[in-house]
Amino acid sequence: MKINDVILRTVTKAVVFIILTLGVYLFFAGHHAPGGGFIGGLILASGIVLLYLAYDIETVHKGMPFDFKKVAALGVLLATGTAVGSLFFDVPFLTQTHTYINVPVFGKMGFSTVTIFEAGVALTVVGVVVTIILSISEDE
């Protein structure tokens, strides 16, 4: 007997957008307020897990054809790459650099290597959490 989950699927469409938006906000707010790659990654992973709960795995994989193990590996590579990159410039390990770039539409914006490191952390967290949830769901 199939469970009628129309309400769950309808609410999920709106709630996942809000969750993913909050995750991106917390990711970018991490430099000046509490947040960053870890908590942003956890929030993003929770939105993806909600999609897996509301829909079946095949439906979500059609919309998001990612191998989350590779996402986690890319995140680790990105985070360690920015950490090791400081050694090439003869500065202490994990030293960050910051610069301002004039972007045509937005004007003068600040960019930092910490953002790249935090993106690696976020990708690692998303990849690991979703992989664990999918592994648990296969063990029925």
Side-chain angles (χ1 to χ4, degrees):
M1 183 171 155
K2 182 162 173 41
I3 298 172
N4 189 0
D5 51 0
V6 175
I7 295 174
L8 175 63
R9 290 183 180 188
T10 304
V11 170
T12 298
K13 290 177 186 177
V15 170
V16 165
F17 177 75
I18 295 168
I19 291 172
L20 295 179
T21 304
L22 175 66
V24 171
Y25 170 76
L26 287 174
F27 169 76
F28 283 113
H31 304 300
H32 306 293
F38 186 76
I39 191 65
L42 283 177
I43 300 292
L44 292 171
S46 69
I48 295 169
V49 169
L50 179 60
L51 285 174
Y52 280 116
L53 289 172
Y55 301 94
D56 57 346
I57 292 176
E58 292 81 22
T59 304
V60 177
H61 278 239
K62 286 179 188 175
M64 279 190 315
F66 300 121
D67 181 6
F68 286 99
K69 292 175 189 166
K70 292 180 182 176
V71 170
L74 175 67
V76 169
L77 182 68
L78 199 60
T80 56
T82 56
V84 172
S86 62
L87 299 177
F88 292 117
F89 297 101
D90 198 30
V91 293
F93 188 68
L94 279 175
T95 300
Q96 70 165 337
T97 184
H98 183 81
T99 187
Y100 290 94
I101 298 174
N102 194 8
V103 179
V105 175
F106 298 107
K108 190 175 183 181
M109 293 182 66
F111 290 99
S112 176
T113 56
V114 173
T115 306
I116 300 169
F117 177 79
E118 292 289 342
V121 171
L123 287 174
T124 303
V125 170
V126 168
V128 168
V129 169
V130 174
T131 299
I132 289 171
I133 296 299
L134 290 176
S135 296
I136 291 171
S137 72
E138 291 173 358
D139 297 334
E140 294 178 359

